[in-house]
């Protein structure tokens, strides 16, 4: 066994039967963490960032120097957006069977295909079926699982909480502003697959393109709603805004007196960090808004989205240091995904590596119930167990909260805060007394995490209705007792 990035083997683990352990193994001498080989290896591995010309392993990029590969224009113009393009880039690195598997996966996907050369270069194409970067962006038909029967396309009910197009106002003092509906790359697991990206075979999307008229409706609503102090600028992804749009949006929000803080939300640093180094006009626009916010004693932050330690390279560090030099607060939101980061070792390394770059781990979200990616979801129990293994691995302010966003608009809840959780049926019940007082909200473990008996019950509509009704009745009875 080797810790990622160190190249040094650890002492072989010995099996233990410990029901409280997530992994079921321990390392010799692990009782004293300060002196164990494991602790020493982890202390080094989170600083060991991929560097060098790693992209040359990809046939289409083999002749590229660093200046050309690390130009944001090259990255944007050469994204893989179709199976023929993938063939051109990878050539014989993968088998014909793999290409056929991708073709089957694309037919089932709710999201458009768009993957940057940078991400392509981070995939281990010798084992693409289990690679954590590939899993997030490139679907395989062989891994597809049927959707959970209770799944809904807009599972978080964002559109119902939208007073004007593209603005969600669920929490009293916060609003979510969807500035646009495109991204530099498209994640398979996107919560907003109902609106983001191009229409696909199974989804006609609700589009929120860049529109000054639509933006003004959102600004006007925020101006006349004095309770809103915090705005999340998302989409889509603000990485795709022009420099003048970034500055216009930021300065307009800063001009609203009761808005005390806002956050630009972008996956860009994880999938195309080159923009933060080679697009000076865009970066200057961001810095100008941050500086204006400081002048007015208001916070402008950037929220980004790393899911796996391998997504953080030496170039990531260079890009993020530019933001740090201008005093920008950067926080990270991770999505817990099966086969990507659903083990304690990976999550510990991710959290420590983020902290090393002064990116504050903010949330780890239990995977939303998104159409077409059921194989990526994990159980609530998995999130609870991993949270226990992560807490204590670094300073408290650099530890994420493990949360789920309840179906139907109840908002974010701590994974430990359920009112009822039946691991046999996979049904959990939550309340949200501040956001939706008196209401109850359900969440469902993926069927692949349940036993055969439970899966059989879920396949029958009458049995399914009975299980849900019983969960709600039991929770209500417990609340009254």
């Amino acid at each position: 066994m080797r810790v990622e990035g160190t190249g040094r083997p650890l002492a072989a683990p010995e099996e233990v039967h410990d029901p409280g352990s997530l992994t079921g193994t321990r390392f010799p001498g692990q009782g004293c963490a300060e002196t164990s080989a494991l602790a020493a290896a982890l202390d080094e591995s989170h600083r060991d960032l991929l560097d060098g010309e790693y992209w040359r392993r990809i046939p289409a990029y083999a002749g590229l120097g660093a200046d050309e590969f690390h130009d944001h224009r090259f990255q944007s113009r050469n994204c893989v957006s179709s199976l023929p393009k993938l063939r051109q880039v990878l050539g014989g690195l993968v088998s014909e069977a793999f290409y056929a598997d991708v073709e089957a996966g694309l037919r089932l996907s709710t999201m458009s295909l768009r993957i940057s050369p940078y991400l392509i270069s981070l995939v281990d194409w010798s084992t693409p079926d289990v690679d954590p970067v590939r899993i997030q962006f490139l679907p395989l038909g062989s891994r597809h699982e049927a959707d959970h029967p209770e799944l809904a396309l807009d599972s978080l009910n964002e559109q119902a909480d939208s007073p004007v197009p593209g603005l969600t106002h669920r929490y009293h003092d916060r609003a979510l502003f969807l500035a646009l509906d495109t991204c530099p790359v498209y994640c398979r697991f996107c919560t907003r697959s109902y609106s983001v990206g191009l229409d696909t075979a199974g989804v006609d999307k609700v589009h929120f393109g860049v529109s000054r008229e639509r933006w003004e409706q959102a600004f006007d609503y925020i101006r006349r709603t004095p309770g809103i102090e915090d705005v999340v600028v998302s989409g889509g992804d603000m990485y795709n805004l022009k420099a003048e749009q970034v500055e216009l949006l930021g300065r307009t929000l800063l001009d609203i007196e009761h808005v005390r803080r806002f956050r630009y939300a972008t996956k860009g640093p994880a999938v195309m960090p080159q923009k933060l180094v080679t697009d000076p006009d865009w970066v200057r626009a961001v810095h100008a808004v941050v500086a204006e916010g400081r002048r007015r004693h208001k916070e402008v932050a950037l929220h980004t989205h790393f899911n796996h330690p391998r997504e953080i390279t030496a170039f990531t560090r260079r890009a993020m240091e530019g933001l740090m030099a201008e005093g920008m607060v950067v926080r990270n939101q991770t999505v817990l995904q099966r086969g990507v980061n659903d083990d304690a070792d990976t999550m510990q390394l991710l959290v420590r590596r983020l902290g090393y770059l002064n990116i504050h781990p903010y949330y780890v979200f239990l995977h939303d119930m998104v159409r077409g990616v059921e194989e990526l979801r994990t159980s609530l129990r998995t999130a609870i167990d991993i949270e226990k293994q992560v807490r204590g691995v670094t300073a408290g302010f650099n530890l994420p909260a493990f949360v789920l966003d309840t179906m139907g608009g109840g908002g974010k809840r701590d994974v430990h805060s359920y009112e009822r959780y039946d691991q046999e049926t996979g049904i959990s019940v939550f309340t949200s007394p501040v956001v939706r007082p008196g209401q109850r909200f359900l969440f469902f473990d993926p069927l692949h995490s349940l036993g055969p008996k439970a899966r059989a019950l879920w396949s029958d509509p009458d049995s399914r209705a009975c299980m849900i009704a019983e969960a709600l009745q039991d929770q209500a009875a417990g609340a009254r007792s």
Side-chain angles (χ1 to χ4, degrees), residues 27-73:
F27 289 86
Q30 197 172 337
C32 183
E34 291 76 12
T35 58
S36 69
L38 176 60
L42 284 175
D43 282 346
E44 297 172 4
S45 64
H46 73 283
R47 303 172 186 165
D48 192 0
L49 306 178
L50 180 65
D51 204 355
E53 297 182 330
Y54 46 86
W55 59 87
R56 291 184 182 270
R57 297 173 293 187
I58 308 301
Y61 313 145
L64 299 180
D67 288 346
E68 185 172 4
F69 183 80
H70 283 310
D71 189 297
H72 76 280
R73 291 163 294 193

Side-chain angles (χ1 to χ4, degrees), residues 83 86 90 94-109 113 125 127-131 134-145 188 372-376:
L83 182 58
L86 184 68
L90 297 182
V94 296
S95 67
E96 283 300 317
F98 179 80
Y99 286 124
D101 207 356
V102 171
E103 184 175 19
L106 290 173
R107 286 196 297 266
L108 298 166
S109 179
L113 181 64
W125 292 106
T127 56
D129 53 329
V130 296
D131 184 86
R134 190 286 304 164
I135 287 172
Q136 299 177 66
F137 302 99
L138 191 64
L140 297 182
S142 62
R143 298 301 176 100
H144 182 78
E145 299 264 0
R188 297 176 54 214
V373 287
E374 187 70 2
E375 83 268 21
L376 297 186

Side-chain angles (χ1 to χ4, degrees), residues 147-195:
D147 288 336
H148 194 283
E150 291 297 313
L151 179 144
L153 184 58
D154 180 11
S155 65
L156 305 185
N157 212 30
E158 289 184 337
Q159 295 178 79
D161 286 330
S162 295
V164 297
L167 186 79
T168 298
H169 188 196
R170 173 172 299 149
Y171 306 99
H172 173 71
D173 69 343
R174 282 152 287 170
L176 169 67
F177 178 27
L178 305 181
L180 71 170
D181 57 10
T182 62
C183 302
V185 305
Y186 292 126
C187 309
R188 297 176 54 214
F189 52 90
C190 181
T191 295
R192 297 194 185 101
S193 58
Y194 69 87
S195 67

